Amino acid sequence: MTEEALLVVIDVPRGSFVKRGDDRTVDFLSPFPCPFNYGHVPGTLAEDGEALDAVVLGPRLRPGTRTIVTPRARIDFVDAGRSDPKWICAPAPLSPFQRIQVSGFFRGYAVAKRWINRFRGHQGPTRYLGWL
């Protein structure tokens, strides 16, 4: 895994129920709080047409915070049939427990996103595929 730093803009602070898109508009309300800071890497583009996603482990960061972080891993995710990988960033290498937390979160997130995509009429599978 690369140790090159990434600039991440926080869209969803740790503990928030509100998922915002790159343009800061509300994308959806979650039935459970996000256990991590969730954001995007400005100037990048994923197959889903939005910036690459990044999870930032550690203390809660305010929405809109721009932070330089170290990517420690990547997960593979498919959203409505499109590749949507996510960087997992942390100040230190990930512990086995943190890997379990991240995997568990994205398994649940995939279920919620499947329902949202179905409601929005989006076609294609939505699933967590594991670590890259």
Side-chain angles (χ1 to χ4, degrees):
M1 179 52 46
T2 180
E3 294 277 328
E4 189 173 318
L6 291 175
L7 170 64
V8 175
V9 177
I10 301 302
D11 301 315
V12 181
R14 180 178 165 183
S16 179
F17 291 84
V18 180
K19 165 79 165 76
R20 295 184 182 275
D22 294 348
D23 62 0
R24 307 287 306 133
T25 60
V26 174
D27 187 29
F28 68 86
L29 299 175
S30 174
F32 52 89
C34 186
F36 313 108
N37 297 293
Y38 197 99
H40 68 278
V41 181
T44 62
L45 193 63
E47 191 178 303
D48 67 355
E50 294 188 15
L52 287 171
D53 294 327
V55 169
V56 179
L57 279 58
R60 186 178 201 274
L61 300 171
R62 295 177 60 147
T65 298
R66 298 169 75 82
T67 185
I68 304 294
V69 293
T70 303
R72 299 295 180 173
R74 256 177 116 175
I75 63 151
D76 199 5
F77 195 87
V78 174
D79 191 355
R82 294 183 173 165
S83 177
D84 190 17
K86 282 101 171 52
W87 286 109
I88 309 301
C89 306
L94 301 179
S95 70
F97 181 69
Q98 287 172 315
R99 286 182 171 271
I100 290 167
Q101 285 181 306
V102 169
S103 292
F105 171 74
F106 280 104
R107 281 187 178 94
Y109 181 73
V111 171
K113 273 304 280 246
R114 271 195 293 276
W115 284 102
I116 290 165
N117 287 341
R118 209 172 278 155
F119 176 77
R120 293 178 177 169
H122 298 166
Q123 302 294 313
T126 298
R127 67 176 68 101
Y128 166 70
L129 300 174
W131 298 92
L132 290 172

